């Protein structure tokens, strides 16, 4: 996957601790996705997930974001550079195509490389609507009053990501 390439290339480091934060982050992803699909049962929702859903809803409302439900959390594969990944939420923001990575922890330097270098270009290979789409990180950590939206604008990221995949793939030669 794209994340594994970033790990193997030394750009992403494994989590620290016992994995609880990573598991809770996965649950927050799922809760916000179920909410997008209109299938979230708030009565059964663990209270620790409620704030994440409320922040996600706030982002969608304030930024005019509409998720592409057919492509949300759909694994993709880059047929030329042989990497795979699962973009969180493609869609439109204020009428313009974009690819969003939801993050429920603290910002990491590799996050921009993940979405701007790997996922957005990969998605564009399969769905021309996303060619030239904006790449965005939406941070919603515990205790946040509002989501932090970070546009990823560095045009060098796709080339850097492909260089990383080439180096990692070349190790098997």
């Amino acid at each position: 996957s794209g994340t594994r390439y970033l790990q193997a290339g030394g750009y992403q480091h494994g989590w620290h601790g016992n994995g609880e934060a990573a598991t809770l982050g996965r649950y927050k992803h799922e809760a916000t996705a179920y909410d997008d699909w209109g299938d979230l049962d708030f009565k059964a929702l663990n209270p620790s997930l409620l704030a994440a859903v409320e922040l996600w809803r706030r982002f969608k409302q304030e930024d005019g974001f509409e998720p592409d439900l057919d492509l949300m959390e759909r694994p993709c594969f880059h047929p030329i550079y042989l990497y795979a990944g699962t973009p969180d939420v493609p869609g439109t923001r204020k009428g313009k195509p974009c690819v969003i990575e939801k993050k429920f922890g603290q910002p990491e330097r590799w996050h921009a490389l993940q979405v701007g270098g790997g996922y957005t270009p990969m998605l564009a290979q399969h769905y021309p609507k996303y060619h030239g789409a904006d790449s965005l990180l939406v941070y919603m950590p515990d205790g946040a009053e509002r989501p932090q939206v970070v546009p990823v604008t560095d045009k060098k990221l796709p080339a850097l990501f492909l260089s990383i995949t080439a180096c990692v793939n070349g190790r098997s030669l």
Side-chain angles (χ1 to χ4, degrees), residues 58 72 112 118:
R58 184 172 187 170
M72 190 167 62

Side-chain angles (χ1 to χ4, degrees), residues 17-61:
N18 63 7
E20 286 180 18
T23 300
L24 186 57
R26 182 75 252 149
Y27 292 160
K28 290 175 181 180
H29 270 267
E30 295 301 325
T32 54
Y34 276 111
D35 190 55
D36 286 339
W37 288 314
D39 197 25
L40 184 65
D41 181 358
F42 272 92
K43 294 176 187 167
L45 188 64
N46 183 310
S48 64
L49 306 178
L50 185 59
V53 173
E54 289 172 346
L55 285 168
W56 180 241
R57 283 181 169 186
R58 184 172 187 170
F59 161 72
K60 292 190 306 181
Q61 181 181 12

